[in-house]
Amino acid sequence: MADAPAQAVRDARRALELLPISRDAVDAPRWHVQIATAFLLAGDDDAAFQVLDMLAAVPAPLTAASLRLN
């Protein structure tokens, strides 16, 4: 189980490669919110904030209010 966070980070990075926002502007931002959450839970705060910064630049279901709530 000690390798689970590392595997989660690898899977999240692969998901970002497979579904960039440039490829799917409708569904990708929703998935990227989940990917940022996976990075946070795995302890990779820098990667999570990179995804959040990217989401802040495009129309996404992520808002300042939802960040405060969660």
Side-chain angles (χ1 to χ4, degrees), residues 20-63:
I21 291 175
S22 61
R23 176 185 260 178
D24 185 350
V26 175
D27 290 325
R30 291 187 188 111
W31 283 108
H32 285 210
V33 171
Q34 300 302 319
I35 292 166
T37 303
F39 280 134
L40 285 173
L41 292 173
D44 194 345
D45 296 345
D46 291 335
F49 281 109
Q50 287 176 354
V51 173
L52 293 174
D53 284 341
M54 183 176 35
L55 286 172
V58 297
L62 185 68
T63 64

Side-chain angles (χ1 to χ4, degrees), residues 1-21:
M1 280 294 185
D3 192 39
Q7 183 64 41
V9 168
R10 283 192 297 274
D11 291 345
R13 290 188 193 285
R14 180 70 175 141
L16 288 173
E17 292 172 9
L18 292 174
L19 189 61
I21 291 175

